[in-house]
Amino acid sequence: MACFTFFKFMMVLFNLLILLGGLTLLGVGIWVSVDKGLFLQVLSPFSTLDTQFVNVGFFCIAIGGVLVLLGVLGCCGAHKGSKCLLLLFFSIILIIFIAEVAAGTVALAYSSFAEGILKAWATLVLKNQYGSDPVVTKIWNSTMTELNCCGFTNYTDFTDSYYFEQSEGSYPPSCCQLDTAPCSQQQAWHSAVQGCFAQLLEALQKHANIVGGIAVGIGGLEVAAMLVSMYLYCYLDNNVS
């Protein structure tokens, strides 16, 4: 009985945290969707991305709704001793866990395919929107400055681009080691500045332990939640029997 009470308390506490997290996401999502003007004022440098922020708002509402549902199911199931709610909570967590494992497996198996799609998309954006779209230009300039990189693959991503034509055959200053303008094709070739994708991969590899630890931690919490909910379910089932 003492073990049951302890697991019941832990189940309620864990799901209260989930519920609070879900309510926070719901609040942010509703704020973004309903009062996007104020939200965009806070993030004024990206004020032209109103459609994307509205989509982010809907995404937050959806994720927040799922978390609130999970929190309510877990709390009520543990507090009231409802086998039906506990089983439903277990099923939803199990589905989420399987989906995460499947997504991770697919990402590993098709990483090169995903890289090809990402490269095609990024190259197209650099050629057509860099220099013409102020938001895209600002984001890429910040990225290239922070990571000391040039383009997605290298300086050739800007060849025959809108920026290349408007600047009379020069490349962004980040593509030259001295970070000077104009940056000619010969200077860019001699500088051999790495592409941003390679720099991002290096950064991810440096922090692989942190990323892996977070993933393992989330998976561990989900497994623990399933084990506790199933223990409570079996305990209640045995008592009823």
Side-chain angles (χ1 to χ4, degrees):
M1 186 63 186
C3 189
F4 171 77
T5 304
F6 172 76
F7 280 121
K8 180 179 177 179
F9 172 76
M10 292 301 296
M11 183 77 170
V12 172
L13 181 61
F14 177 73
N15 283 282
L16 279 175
L17 294 176
I18 292 179
L19 182 60
L20 288 174
L23 289 173
T24 302
L25 275 177
L26 269 176
V28 172
I30 292 172
W31 175 35
V32 174
S33 301
V34 175
D35 194 12
K36 65 180 182 181
L38 178 60
F39 185 77
L40 292 173
Q41 285 179 11
V42 176
L43 299 174
S44 55
F46 305 97
S47 59
T48 58
L49 295 177
D50 53 345
T51 304
Q52 287 86 337
F53 281 125
V54 171
N55 292 334
V56 169
F58 290 145
F59 179 76
C60 288
I61 290 174
I63 299 298
V66 172
L67 291 177
V68 168
L69 175 62
L70 281 174
V72 170
L73 287 175
C75 286
C76 292
H79 181 68
K80 294 184 177 181
S82 172
K83 294 194 300 178
C84 180
L85 293 179
L86 287 171
L87 185 60
L88 185 58
F89 174 84
F90 173 86
S91 301
I92 294 176
I93 293 290
L94 180 62
I95 291 171
I96 293 174
F97 182 76
I98 292 173
E100 289 172 349
V101 172
T105 303
V106 170
L108 289 174
Y110 294 95
S111 57
S112 59
F113 177 70
E115 179 183 344
I117 294 177
L118 187 60
K119 179 181 178 180
W121 170 81
T123 303
L124 189 64
V125 168
L126 288 173
K127 286 190 177 297
N128 297 331
Q129 297 183 38
Y130 183 85
S132 61
D133 188 320
V135 175
V136 172
T137 305
K138 184 173 182 177
I139 291 173
W140 271 102
N141 282 339
S142 299
T143 302
M144 291 190 293
T145 301
E146 290 293 327
L147 297 179
N148 294 319
C149 58
C150 171
F152 183 83
T153 305
N154 52 34
Y155 75 94
T156 59
D157 292 337
F158 293 100
T159 303
D160 298 327
S161 65
Y162 174 87
Y163 178 88
F164 185 83
E165 294 175 355
Q166 294 298 313
S167 59
E168 299 179 353
S170 66
Y171 295 83
S174 299
C175 295
C176 288
Q177 279 185 340
L178 298 178
D179 198 22
T180 56
C183 176
S184 67
Q185 185 172 12
Q186 187 176 9
Q187 289 174 320
W189 181 77
H190 280 296
S191 297
V193 178
Q194 275 191 319
C196 293
F197 184 71
Q199 296 287 68
L200 285 172
L201 281 181
E202 286 183 11
L204 285 175
Q205 288 169 357
K206 288 180 181 178
H207 300 88
N209 292 335
I210 298 175
V211 175
I214 292 173
V216 171
I218 292 173
L221 286 175
E222 290 171 344
V223 171
M226 288 189 289
L227 290 174
V228 172
S229 61
M230 188 49 59
Y231 169 82
L232 296 176
Y233 175 86
C234 293
Y235 181 90
L236 293 170
D237 189 53
N238 290 333
N239 281 355
V240 170
S241 301

